[in-house]
Amino acid sequence: MASEAPHAPLGLTPAANAATTTTDAPAHDVAPAVPSEKDDVLEADEAEESQFEPIRSTTSRMQRNLTGDDLFKALSQRRTNASSQGEGVEDDHGGVERADIERLMSRMFGAGRQANSDEEKSRHVGVIFRHLTVKGMGLGAALQPENADIFLGLPRLIARLVGGAGNKVSSRPPIRTLLNDFNGCVKPGEMCLVLGRPGSGCSTFLKVIGNQRFGFQDVTGDVSYGGTDAATMAKSFRGDVLYNPEDDLHYATLTVRNTLEFALKTRTPGKDSRAEGESRSQYTEEFLRVVAKLFWIEHTLGTKVGNEMIRGVSGGEKKRVSIAEAMITKASTQCWDNSTRGLDASTALEYVEALRTLTNMAHISTFVALYQAGESLYNLFDKVLLIEGGRCCYFGPTDDAKAYFEHLGFVCPARWTTADFLTSVTDAHERNVREGYEHRIPRNAEQFEKAYQNSDMAKRALTDIQALEAAHDEQRQRREAAHAAPAKPKNYTIPFYKQVLACTYRQFLVTKGDKLSLWGKWGGILFQALIVGSLFYSLPHTALGVFPKGGVLFFALLFNALLALAELTAAFSSRPIVLKHKSFSFYRPAAYAVGQVVLDLPLVAVQVFIFDVVVYWMADLGHTASQFFISLLILWVLTLSMYSYFRALGALCGSLDVASRLTGLSIQILITYTGYLIPPGKQHPWLHWLSYVNPVQYGFEALMANEFTGAVIECVPPYLVPTGPNVTAQHQSCLIQGSVAGQPNVDGAAYIETGFGYTRAHLWRNIGIVIAFWLFFVALTMFGMEVQKPNKGGGSVTIFKRGQVPKSVQKLLDNKAESPRDEESGEKPAGLDQADTSGSDSDREEVKGVAKNETVFTWTNVNYRIPFKRGELQLLRDVQGYVRPGKLTALMGASGAGKTTLLNTLAQRVTFGVVQGDFLVDGRPLPKSFQRATGFAEQQDIHESTATIREALRFSALLRQPKEVPRAEKYEYVEKIISILEMEDIAGATIGKIGSGLNQEQRKRVTIGVELASKPELLMFLDEPTSGLDSGAAFNIVRFLRKLADAGQAILCTIHQPSSVLFEYFDELILLKNGGRVVYHGALGKDSREMITYFERHGSKKCPPRANPAEFMLEAIGAGNPDYQGQDWGDVWAASEEHRQRTQEIQQMIVDRSHATAGASTRDDREYAMPLSTQVVAVVKRSFVAYWRSPEYIIGKFSLHIFTGLFNTFTYWKLGHSTIDMQSRLFSVFSTLTISPPLIQQLQPRFLAFRNIYESRESKAKIYSWAAMVTGAVAVELPYSIVAGTIYFNCWYWGVGFPQDSFTAGYTWMLVMLFEIFYVGFGQGVASFAANDLLASLLVPVFFLFIVSFCGVVVPFQALPYFWRSWMYYLTPFRYLLSGFLGVLLHNLPVECADTEFARFSPPAGQTCEQYTSAFVKMVGGYVQERDGLCNFCQYANGDQYLANLNIYYSDRWLDYGVFAAFCVFNFMVVFFCSWLFLRGGARIRAALRPRARKQAKAAN
């Protein structure tokens, strides 16, 4: 059969679509032929022919090359003529334009390129799927995990075994059929619309057609692309098939030009596929120019793509960037999954029109899933596939679909779009049945499938398949006859080294685009370098500087290595983009990994140079040039190695949570087994091997050898022993290891050889080993990135709280029932179906008792300006309007018109910029309770994910309804709301996250329910309540809003893409144009007649009878059309009679309502409904519930304590009594402190999650105060931390060899508890003034290293520069913690020096060692032994003498405890203060300091 005719926007007949092209070859080589039916399908694959049949023309126009402007002009003309589809043949001029367009696009896409291009011969056009069946594992429901599961898992398993369910317990979840026996084909140049309710199987179908099969249990049947099977395509031609997920995945800091140029560079074909003499750069520039004009993004090329944090292009423009990126791939099959989510009707139409253009121009097969498809969108498609429950209900031409279902007995109501009608027939509550067919229609998915398989449509689809298969066979025969070589694999267009170069340059642009982070990082490094340099300032080249020199070298290594931690977060944030680009065949993920490393080379060199040049010379290390540059080299290669190590962790781990746990343990290993804390000779054999796999250890040995070899260490007191009036030099020795009896100086090489086993001979060997580690980690990263897979496709589950599972769902949990569902957050399990949604009178009666208000909200002369670059940008201009009880008002406009801005301004939620205007309730100024007394349903559906629906609604009701209402009455009201929302069966389900929790529609209902539970006394605001929902769910939501309005509620909501049916539910409309100007405000009337009449009367074109009024009005005002040249509808409205009437009406309302008796809602001046004590109790309870239901976090916290505790124990197992053992006790305690950074990294996201929920929704609704939020976030951490600390104490303390008496053990446990409290406060304190998780995680090492630096361990007290020793030492909390620990752990502990620790010297003739040293020992401590005629002096006799050298005393133990406890309290004071500053106080302080800020604060409050 012939291909179906493409639709209007391209304005092409089937012949034109298949047969209009040109070629760069000479004219006499081109045979103008009318393509046969099979040629029409196959011409893109022909080795001998072009993709488009060439057209010959004698006109001079055809002989010139089209410019991008010509292309743009012609495309714009086609769009203008889009609505005239089927109304006759266009004029000759239009036909010539189309031919020119085809010529240029043919050249761009290679079809008209040189005939010997292997690339063009291997294109795989046309998709066939036969008997396609997909199976997957997963249940439709599950129980909410809890902390009790950690302990009760085994008893419950035993109970189930004893209870007879043993055969169910260990069995795997049932395999469910996600798609069943699909058959069909989509030819080149055809678009297929995929319809179905969420969960029906749309995403599964698109993923499988897009050859994304990972995560499914089994895929059977045949899918072929141009005659090539799916396995071969995945192996050799991956780039020919694309699956585009819902989200637009791009680097936010890249400009649109950078993004598209990168794609073009990676997909620029070889010479054979380019025009003769055309260079790569020319190809890239021309393609970019054409694509930018084709998709209306030329004006955005210099703008960043942006994201939530970085301002960039609009949502619609970002969609078009995604389409342009897909066009560059020239993939023959493209699948787009619900990509119009969040776009307004005009932008969604532009998006699908762009896809239509791409499909026709590139001659590809396109599949698109849309949840809300208007009639104009539907008409752009050739075929439609309707899926329900994984079954094919219809596959065939779009023009025949409606008639097919009407023939089955269904009725399409007036003004319903065809897509809505098709989706509704599969829903028992929405379908409309023709009279007399009530018992004859299909009622479930199986019956729909059977009806389709027995229909002519199915036979027609099979005929199409056979024709396309025959055409593919003929193509192969032609190739064989011409002796054409088999198509070469072409997964990637450019070789690996060019992929690396492209990725390197792209990564440079990404880094350059975020200058703030880069300069901030380097500034932070410089700051830390100055601190460290001053800490080790001008170290002496005597024995006094030996230990500090080791400290500064260790610190330099450690600081640069830990800076690489940030790579872990970056690795996971960029992973989705890398996987997308891999599927697009832009580059191998391994090339991206190498590109990052190449860019690291200069960036890390700068970073290391900044740090080392400051620290090295401030510390006065080795003076020779070779020593300095070798130290730079060592730091450089080691930092590169650690960057690659953390990247490898990120590449090999499935989640950031798992990677963070491994990071915590690996940091302990890196620090402990460097050789500085424990010399290699003292390491226990069972863990000594860790030093051999620790690159930092090799770097440390190289730095020590570089610094000390060749140095002569002058021995000075107190290292020179003995000293006194009668001591001579030949009878003295040095306490430094490597000393020789009778010599006052020590050779540096001997010192590192004796103390550490290091030698200069290993210097370059060690540098080579570090480089080898670096290359190994790079290889690991490359491997990890190559094997990464997208998220597994499995069943999305509804999570129920234990004990609140409906009986019907309990069967699922026992593996006794199946629920055919899909991964797209979908359909509810059996037993969770929505109640009848027919909107009966009883429903209305029920709603009437729920919500009603009598106040009128008006606003006049509203203007809103924000600072923009060096001036101001006005977002709203002279807006006025009102919302009345009993009326449902729609707020609409194109993307960027200011809808959400106006909604936030009206709801008093704007905290930035200057707002002017009058906002009145019943003619009076807004009461203090306004934000609490209005409901505001956010677009984002922000909720505490672990709360159940009932708990979320109860929380809102408890804290937002007046305190005079009894709690029982509030909770009874909640049950009523749950009933009205038709969520009784899932009230015990946790909200969760998309994919694991409620689906999109259920989450939207919860959002609305949370606001209704508060009993809003004034009005309801809703921002995009139907965004992301399918047509049925959107209908349910709007129908529910209509019921609320009928019950007396005043409702104002923004809405995107409303169908005619949805639009009919609204009473009034406020329509905005770009710039925030009103272009219409008033009643809609029946069938929107009043609004349509207004526009037609003022010069718009006539609205066709079956057109969607919402789309008509947006098109009339030029929404989304950058070339709109018509009148300014803002000026038209301002000068209209309707505007004058609205103004008078508003003024009359203000006068009338101001004389009415003030209601309770307008008199209530309480900011919060409930007192602070109630708020705190409720928030703390919710926080504890959230932690109780987050076992993954608790397990992570506890496991980190357990593993680090055991690691500490076995590293310092049963320490002896030598001097180095005293030091090991110090470092064992110090290692305890180093577990806090990874623990802080774990807890900060939890704190910020609480704050984000509060900041985004709950603070604006005045549910509870910031103090309650902070109290809840703090209180919930402490009990778990105390338990975790106790576990750590028991894992650590008893094996190290610390004193076993009860006081020492008890005091140490108490300090560990304080330490647990301290790091909680410290981590939350840092997070409290950080804007996001990433910044908080970057600040932790900076602050942690700062307070560790001055605690007396890295640099002993006596060696600290006076400046720091005089004040900073006493302000460092860890100084008191360490003093408390060590003061009791080493008290009265005898010291027995090892042989290498004695200072040996001969006594003078006639004196014994005791006689010679008695006065000295009495003065400095220690003890002397005489052995082999030499005096062996040990520096310390007991632990107290060792501690005195560190300025630590046993007598200060309780002072230390008290001061450290005060620091803990101070931390939480910082948490509260900084949270207040961040959430409220900052704006107030700015208002007090600056007049302009005062205006902003006044406007915000």
Side-chain angles (χ1 to χ4, degrees):
M1 292 186 63
S3 174
E4 298 298 322
H7 285 275
L10 206 59
L12 297 175
T13 63
N17 179 36
T20 51
T21 193
T22 187
T23 178
D24 294 316
H28 64 270
D29 291 334
V30 178
V34 177
S36 69
E37 190 171 88
K38 292 173 183 176
D39 289 340
D40 183 40
V41 176
L42 288 170
E43 54 208 352
D45 283 330
E46 297 291 339
E48 299 81 17
E49 297 177 18
S50 298
Q51 173 182 342
F52 300 95
E53 284 291 324
I55 280 186
R56 297 168 65 89
S57 174
T58 58
T59 63
S60 59
R61 257 185 67 81
M62 295 296 291
Q63 303 307 317
R64 68 177 179 87
N65 288 327
L66 265 186
T67 66
D69 292 325
D70 296 328
L71 171 68
F72 183 52
K73 191 181 300 180
L75 285 174
S76 300
Q77 181 179 6
R78 287 204 315 279
R79 283 205 178 92
T80 304
N81 296 331
S83 60
S84 62
Q85 176 189 357
E87 295 180 2
V89 181
E90 296 180 35
D91 59 23
D92 291 339
H93 176 74
V96 173
E97 285 285 0
R98 286 195 304 276
D100 285 346
I101 296 299
E102 295 293 352
R103 289 183 66 248
L104 184 56
M105 294 305 292
S106 166
R107 202 165 68 80
M108 294 312 301
F109 282 93
R113 296 183 186 277
Q114 297 176 14
N116 62 346
S117 167
D118 289 334
E119 179 182 358
E120 301 311 323
K121 293 177 185 177
S122 62
R123 289 195 73 211
H124 299 79
V125 294
V127 184
I128 299 173
F129 47 97
R130 270 185 176 275
H131 306 297
L132 177 61
T133 299
V134 181
K135 296 182 179 181
M137 288 198 311
L139 291 171
L143 290 174
Q144 171 66 46
E146 297 176 346
N147 292 336
D149 297 342
I150 302 170
F151 307 103
L152 298 180
L154 183 61
R156 285 172 181 160
L157 177 64
I158 295 171
R160 293 188 68 189
L161 287 169
V162 173
N167 61 326
K168 307 289 183 183
V169 175
S170 59
S171 63
R172 301 176 71 185
I175 297 175
R176 301 178 290 106
T177 300
L178 302 177
L179 297 177
N180 184 68
D181 196 22
F182 279 55
N183 297 277
C185 69
V186 175
K187 300 174 185 177
E190 286 187 338
M191 288 180 69
C192 177
L193 174 62
V194 182
L195 292 177
R197 295 187 293 168
S200 59
C202 296
S203 286
T204 298
F205 177 79
L206 290 177
K207 282 185 178 180
V208 175
I209 295 297
N211 226 7
Q212 302 279 319
R213 301 189 173 201
F214 176 74
F216 298 113
Q217 182 70 17
D218 187 30
V219 180
T220 58
D222 299 320
V223 180
S224 64
Y225 309 86
T228 304
D229 64 88
T232 304
M233 294 296 293
K235 182 179 180 181
S236 303
F237 305 100
R238 186 188 306 121
D240 267 4
V241 184
L242 253 63
Y243 170 76
N244 297 269
E246 181 177 310
D247 299 323
D248 297 297
L249 301 172
H250 304 286
Y251 283 100
T253 57
L254 287 183
T255 64
V256 173
R257 175 183 291 277
N258 295 152
T259 302
L260 297 181
E261 278 185 344
F262 171 77
L264 281 164
K265 285 178 181 177
T266 58
R267 293 306 297 262
T268 300
K271 290 182 180 179
D272 291 344
S273 297
R274 298 199 303 269
E276 189 172 351
E278 184 181 36
S279 68
R280 287 182 174 272
S281 59
Q282 288 172 336
Y283 175 90
T284 299
E285 192 59 36
E286 186 171 6
F287 205 136
L288 177 63
R289 181 165 45 85
V290 170
V291 167
K293 288 182 179 294
L294 189 62
F295 297 124
W296 290 356
I297 52 176
E298 191 180 27
H299 63 288
T300 70
L301 288 177
T303 308
K304 290 182 181 178
V305 176
N307 58 12
E308 309 81 36
M309 307 294 298
I310 299 171
R311 185 182 294 274
V313 299
S314 70
E317 290 164 344
K318 195 178 292 186
K319 292 288 182 191
R320 293 199 284 272
V321 173
S322 297
I323 299 173
E325 199 175 48
M327 179 182 239
I328 289 166
T329 68
K330 297 190 288 189
S332 304
T333 301
Q334 299 190 10
C335 302
W336 297 81
D337 194 358
N338 192 26
S339 297
T340 60
R341 178 181 177 185
L343 301 183
D344 63 81
S346 61
T347 309
L349 181 60
E350 292 167 21
Y351 161 77
V352 180
E353 282 180 338
L355 281 181
R356 178 76 260 179
T357 302
L358 168 60
T359 302
N360 286 20
M361 293 297 189
H363 210 54
I364 63 175
S365 303
T366 305
F367 297 79
V368 184
L370 299 177
Y371 280 167
Q372 295 182 51
E375 198 66 26
S376 54
L377 268 68
Y378 181 84
N379 288 333
L380 293 171
F381 291 88
D382 304 290
K383 293 181 177 178
V384 61
L385 169 65
L386 179 63
I387 306 176
E388 173 60 23
R391 310 277 176 156
C392 177
C393 302
Y394 176 85
F395 177 75
T398 51
D399 296 338
D400 301 332
K402 183 177 179 181
Y404 169 80
F405 284 103
E406 288 178 335
H407 176 73
L408 288 180
F410 298 98
V411 176
C412 180
R415 303 191 76 86
W416 275 44
T417 66
T418 306
D420 287 352
F421 167 60
L422 297 184
T423 309
S424 72
V425 300
T426 62
D427 190 335
H429 305 303
E430 294 183 34
R431 62 175 64 130
N432 293 274
V433 183
R434 191 191 311 169
E435 188 175 350
Y437 278 75
E438 290 83 357
H439 303 291
R440 297 165 60 185
I441 61 166
R443 295 188 176 277
N444 54 42
E446 291 78 7
Q447 292 177 6
F448 274 105
E449 180 186 52
K450 185 176 180 181
Y452 170 72
Q453 289 176 346
N454 294 330
S455 70
D456 292 338
M457 285 294 130
K459 297 174 184 176
R460 184 175 173 182
L462 292 175
T463 303
D464 280 354
I465 292 173
Q466 292 166 1
L468 192 53
E469 285 178 336
H472 288 158
D473 292 339
E474 187 175 333
Q475 177 193 27
R476 281 193 292 271
Q477 291 171 7
R478 288 183 184 179
R479 285 178 176 170
E480 291 171 4
H483 304 289
K488 297 178 181 178
K490 58 163 192 173
N491 275 338
Y492 301 98
T493 306
I494 58 176
F496 186 79
Y497 78 93
K498 286 189 177 180
Q499 296 174 31
V500 171
L501 292 175
C503 288
T504 303
Y505 182 66
R506 195 268 308 270
Q507 204 62 24
F508 166 74
L509 293 175
V510 169
T511 306
K512 180 184 175 185
D514 192 11
K515 293 188 182 74
L516 186 64
S517 295
L518 183 64
W519 287 105
K521 180 181 180 180
W522 286 349
I525 291 170
L526 178 61
F527 170 76
Q528 193 72 29
L530 290 169
I531 297 297
V532 174
S534 65
L535 192 62
F536 295 96
Y537 183 69
S538 192
L539 295 176
H541 296 282
T542 64
L544 289 172
V546 168
F547 187 77
K549 279 185 179 180
V552 72
L553 296 176
F554 174 71
F555 202 97
L557 282 172
L558 190 62
F559 177 75
N560 284 284
L562 291 184
L563 274 178
L565 265 175
E567 292 304 309
L568 204 58
T569 307
F572 283 94
S573 63
S574 62
R575 179 180 290 187
I577 303 175
V578 175
L579 289 175
K580 172 191 170 184
H581 287 173
K582 178 185 178 182
S583 71
F584 281 20
S585 293
F586 285 166
Y587 52 83
R588 299 193 73 92
Y592 170 75
V594 177
Q596 283 185 303
V597 172
V598 174
L599 185 65
D600 282 344
L601 298 176
L603 291 180
V604 171
V606 172
Q607 167 186 320
V608 167
F609 182 80
I610 292 171
F611 186 84
D612 200 38
V613 76
V614 173
V615 172
Y616 193 92
W617 297 111
M618 286 187 73
D620 197 21
L621 298 178
H623 289 175
T624 66
S626 66
Q627 284 178 301
F628 171 68
F629 286 111
I630 287 174
S631 76
L632 264 182
L633 175 64
I634 295 168
L635 281 178
W636 184 55
V637 296
L638 183 78
T639 307
L640 287 172
S641 177
M642 297 316 300
Y643 265 65
S644 294
Y645 169 70
F646 286 115
R647 284 206 190 109
L649 266 185
L652 294 169
C653 292
S655 69
L656 184 58
D657 188 46
V658 173
S660 297
R661 295 178 202 172
L662 292 176
T663 300
L665 190 58
S666 60
I667 287 174
Q668 288 274 309
I669 295 171
L670 292 173
I671 293 174
T672 306
Y673 285 88
T674 299
Y676 175 69
L677 301 188
I678 312 175
K682 293 293 292 183
Q683 294 170 3
H684 290 295
W686 51 79
L687 291 177
H688 177 58
W689 61 272
L690 289 172
S691 64
Y692 294 113
V693 296
N694 182 0
V696 182
Q697 184 263 333
Y698 295 99
F700 183 67
E701 178 180 357
L703 280 178
M704 290 286 281
N706 180 58
E707 176 62 29
F708 284 100
T709 301
V712 177
I713 304 168
E714 181 188 353
C715 208
V716 296
Y719 293 96
L720 185 64
V721 294
T723 55
N726 299 318
V727 175
T728 56
Q730 65 267 31
H731 299 296
Q732 287 181 311
S733 185
C734 195
L735 282 170
I736 300 296
Q737 291 180 325
S739 62
V740 178
Q743 293 188 9
N745 296 328
V746 179
D747 179 51
Y751 163 67
I752 60 173
E753 171 69 31
T754 307
F756 300 93
Y758 294 164
T759 172
R760 178 69 163 71
H762 291 168
L763 174 66
W764 294 106
R765 182 206 72 173
N766 287 350
I767 292 175
I769 290 174
V770 173
I771 293 174
F773 269 112
W774 172 47
L775 296 176
F776 172 69
F777 293 144
V778 170
L780 269 184
T781 308
M782 294 168 67
F783 171 77
M785 301 194 80
E786 284 290 337
V787 299
Q788 279 175 4
K789 301 289 185 183
N791 290 333
K792 288 187 177 183
S796 168
V797 293
T798 305
I799 311 293
F800 286 92
K801 178 184 175 184
R802 190 175 293 276
Q804 295 191 15
V805 187
K807 291 181 180 179
S808 57
V809 178
Q810 188 64 48
K811 296 178 182 178
L812 292 171
L813 300 178
D814 293 335
N815 288 349
K816 294 177 182 176
E818 292 189 22
S819 177
R821 303 183 56 236
D822 192 17
E823 71 263 18
E824 58 252 39
S825 76
E827 186 179 325
K828 299 163 286 295
L832 301 187
D833 290 335
Q834 299 292 342
D836 193 331
T837 59
S838 57
S840 62
D841 292 339
S842 61
D843 285 341
R844 294 192 180 93
E845 288 299 322
E846 190 176 20
V847 174
K848 282 182 181 178
V850 171
K852 186 175 183 181
N853 47 56
E854 299 174 350
T855 57
V856 175
F857 176 50
T858 61
W859 61 94
T860 54
N861 303 319
V862 175
N863 290 274
Y864 178 41
R865 297 178 179 86
I866 61 170
F868 182 71
K869 295 183 178 178
R870 296 186 178 180
E872 286 188 332
L873 179 65
Q874 186 159 357
L875 300 181
L876 297 175
R877 190 184 302 272
D878 297 327
V879 180
Q880 65 177 14
Y882 55 80
V883 181
R884 297 180 290 183
K887 298 296 182 182
L888 182 57
T889 305
L891 175 56
M892 296 184 66
S895 293
K899 302 181 296 295
T900 300
T901 301
L902 177 58
L903 205 65
N904 285 323
T905 304
L906 298 180
Q908 308 301 301
R909 292 180 172 225
V910 172
T911 58
F912 177 70
V914 178
V915 177
Q916 297 172 323
D918 297 318
F919 304 91
L920 304 174
V921 173
D922 282 348
R924 301 176 179 85
L926 301 184
K928 199 172 182 179
S929 62
F930 178 79
Q931 287 172 271
R932 172 170 56 82
T934 54
F936 193 108
E938 300 265 5
Q939 181 180 352
Q940 288 78 18
D941 302 323
I942 300 168
H943 302 284
E944 170 54 55
S945 61
T946 59
T948 66
I949 294 174
R950 179 175 283 108
E951 289 167 350
L953 267 62
R954 284 186 170 186
F955 184 81
S956 178
L958 175 65
L959 295 182
R960 293 176 70 179
Q961 290 188 26
K963 65 179 181 181
E964 293 79 13
V965 180
R967 178 174 299 200
E969 185 177 328
K970 293 179 180 180
Y971 288 173
E972 183 182 347
Y973 184 81
V974 164
E975 297 304 316
K976 198 168 188 178
I977 295 296
I978 290 174
S979 175
I980 290 174
L981 288 168
E982 301 158 355
M983 295 195 298
E984 297 96 325
D985 281 340
I986 55 172
T990 53
I991 297 169
K993 298 173 183 176
I994 293 294
S996 179
L998 304 181
N999 67 28
Q1000 193 70 35
E1001 180 193 1
Q1002 291 165 342
R1003 294 169 71 83
K1004 188 61 66 178
R1005 286 173 177 267
V1006 172
T1007 299
I1008 296 174
V1010 164
E1011 299 305 315
L1012 288 177
S1014 68
K1015 245 181 185 175
E1017 299 163 318
L1018 297 179
L1019 73 157
M1020 278 278 289
F1021 296 105
L1022 298 101
D1023 190 11
E1024 306 290 355
T1026 63
S1027 182
L1029 304 182
D1030 69 292
S1031 56
F1035 176 81
N1036 288 338
I1037 293 295
V1038 174
R1039 177 191 55 80
F1040 178 67
L1041 296 178
R1042 177 72 265 169
K1043 286 160 62 175
L1044 290 177
D1046 290 342
Q1049 185 74 48
I1051 299 176
L1052 174 64
C1053 78
T1054 59
I1055 189 166
H1056 274 166
Q1057 305 178 35
S1059 64
S1060 302
V1061 179
L1062 289 186
F1063 203 50
E1064 190 67 21
Y1065 275 93
F1066 289 88
D1067 300 301
E1068 297 177 335
L1069 169 71
I1070 300 173
L1071 181 61
L1072 300 181
K1073 69 181 289 286
N1074 286 339
R1077 296 189 67 190
V1078 177
V1079 296
Y1080 181 80
H1081 175 213
L1084 285 169
K1086 182 172 177 56
D1087 294 336
S1088 305
R1089 198 66 252 167
E1090 291 188 32
M1091 180 270 292
I1092 292 172
T1093 301
Y1094 168 80
F1095 282 104
E1096 291 179 344
R1097 191 169 66 246
H1098 288 88
S1100 78
K1101 68 175 184 178
K1102 296 293 182 182
C1103 179
R1106 291 189 58 81
N1108 183 347
E1111 295 178 5
F1112 159 76
M1113 68 184 187
L1114 289 173
E1115 183 181 350
I1117 66 173
N1121 183 1
D1123 298 323
Y1124 175 73
Q1125 301 293 331
Q1127 57 188 336
D1128 188 326
W1129 285 92
D1131 294 338
V1132 172
W1133 171 255
S1136 68
E1137 176 64 21
E1138 287 82 357
H1139 173 255
R1140 188 186 64 79
Q1141 292 174 1
R1142 289 295 92 75
T1143 304
Q1144 291 179 350
E1145 194 175 352
I1146 292 170
Q1147 295 304 321
Q1148 191 60 44
M1149 282 182 185
I1150 294 172
V1151 173
D1152 293 344
R1153 297 301 301 178
S1154 62
H1155 296 307
T1157 304
S1161 58
T1162 56
R1163 292 196 309 265
D1164 187 356
D1165 268 341
R1166 292 177 297 188
E1167 186 175 11
Y1168 300 101
M1170 302 299 288
L1172 181 61
S1173 59
T1174 307
Q1175 297 173 32
V1176 169
V1177 170
V1179 174
V1180 168
K1181 179 183 177 183
R1182 185 178 70 166
S1183 300
F1184 271 95
V1185 168
Y1187 270 49
W1188 182 252
R1189 294 176 187 164
S1190 304
E1192 72 287 344
Y1193 170 68
I1194 302 303
I1195 290 173
K1197 188 184 188 79
F1198 282 19
S1199 61
L1200 195 55
H1201 279 84
I1202 292 169
F1203 287 125
T1204 52
L1206 293 175
F1207 177 77
N1208 197 338
T1209 291
F1210 288 111
T1211 295
Y1212 300 99
W1213 180 257
K1214 299 300 181 185
L1215 293 173
H1217 295 277
S1218 66
T1219 303
I1220 199 68
D1221 287 326
M1222 298 298 115
Q1223 180 178 299
S1224 293
R1225 284 175 170 82
L1226 163 64
F1227 286 134
S1228 178
V1229 172
F1230 184 71
S1231 296
T1232 298
L1233 309 189
T1234 61
I1235 72 170
S1236 56
L1239 288 168
I1240 289 171
Q1241 301 273 13
Q1242 282 185 345
L1243 71 85
Q1244 282 183 331
R1246 310 291 302 186
F1247 176 87
L1248 291 172
F1250 286 136
R1251 192 183 74 182
N1252 289 341
I1253 293 175
Y1254 175 78
E1255 184 183 10
S1256 300
R1257 181 174 64 83
E1258 294 171 337
S1259 68
K1260 296 173 181 176
K1262 302 294 183 183
I1263 303 179
Y1264 55 89
S1265 73
W1266 65 272
M1269 183 279 294
V1270 178
T1271 304
V1274 167
V1276 69
E1277 275 287 349
L1278 298 181
Y1280 288 104
S1281 296
I1282 288 173
V1283 173
T1286 302
I1287 293 173
Y1288 177 86
F1289 172 81
N1290 285 289
C1291 289
W1292 163 59
Y1293 186 85
W1294 309 108
V1296 176
F1298 291 135
Q1300 306 290 305
D1301 63 284
S1302 57
F1303 171 76
T1304 304
Y1307 178 86
T1308 304
W1309 174 82
M1310 290 168 60
L1311 266 183
V1312 171
M1313 295 306 100
L1314 269 189
F1315 169 66
E1316 291 285 332
I1317 294 170
F1318 176 85
Y1319 83 71
V1320 169
F1322 179 76
Q1324 291 185 338
V1326 172
S1328 64
F1329 57 81
N1332 52 55
D1333 293 14
L1334 180 60
L1335 180 59
S1337 66
L1338 289 174
L1339 289 173
V1340 169
V1342 174
F1343 283 96
F1344 180 76
L1345 289 173
F1346 193 78
I1347 62 173
V1348 162
S1349 301
F1350 302 99
C1351 68
V1353 172
V1354 179
V1355 182
F1357 172 74
Q1358 299 297 341
L1360 274 172
Y1362 175 77
F1363 174 77
W1364 295 118
R1365 188 171 70 233
S1366 61
W1367 66 282
M1368 191 62 206
Y1369 172 75
Y1370 295 101
L1371 292 180
T1372 303
F1374 281 2
R1375 167 255 188 275
Y1376 300 96
L1377 178 63
L1378 281 168
S1379 179
F1381 272 128
L1382 296 172
V1384 297
L1385 292 176
L1386 273 68
H1387 177 56
N1388 284 336
L1389 206 64
V1391 175
E1392 300 170 1
C1393 280
D1395 285 344
T1396 58
E1397 295 169 350
F1398 284 107
R1400 293 179 173 87
F1401 50 88
S1402 59
Q1407 286 186 295
T1408 64
C1409 287
E1410 185 176 356
Q1411 291 171 337
Y1412 179 56
T1413 61
S1414 59
F1416 173 74
V1417 169
K1418 188 174 182 180
M1419 179 178 65
V1420 301
Y1423 65 91
V1424 176
Q1425 294 177 350
E1426 188 170 347
R1427 190 183 305 167
D1428 300 329
L1430 292 175
C1431 301
N1432 291 263
F1433 173 73
C1434 183
Q1435 189 175 5
Y1436 309 110
N1438 55 53
D1440 292 294
Q1441 290 183 3
Y1442 175 80
L1443 293 175
N1445 190 49
L1446 299 173
N1447 196 39
I1448 296 174
Y1449 302 97
Y1450 177 74
S1451 57
D1452 293 339
R1453 60 193 182 281
W1454 290 114
L1455 174 66
D1456 294 332
Y1457 190 89
V1459 173
F1460 189 67
F1463 273 109
C1464 295
V1465 174
F1466 173 76
N1467 281 346
F1468 290 114
M1469 291 171 63
V1470 170
V1471 176
F1472 277 86
F1473 177 71
C1474 290
S1475 295
W1476 172 78
L1477 269 183
F1478 189 90
L1479 295 169
R1480 299 190 68 175
R1484 295 185 179 183
I1485 292 174
R1486 288 194 300 270
L1489 297 177
R1490 292 182 300 161
R1492 182 174 176 179
R1494 277 201 297 273
K1495 293 180 182 178
Q1496 293 179 5
K1498 183 179 179 181
N1501 295 321

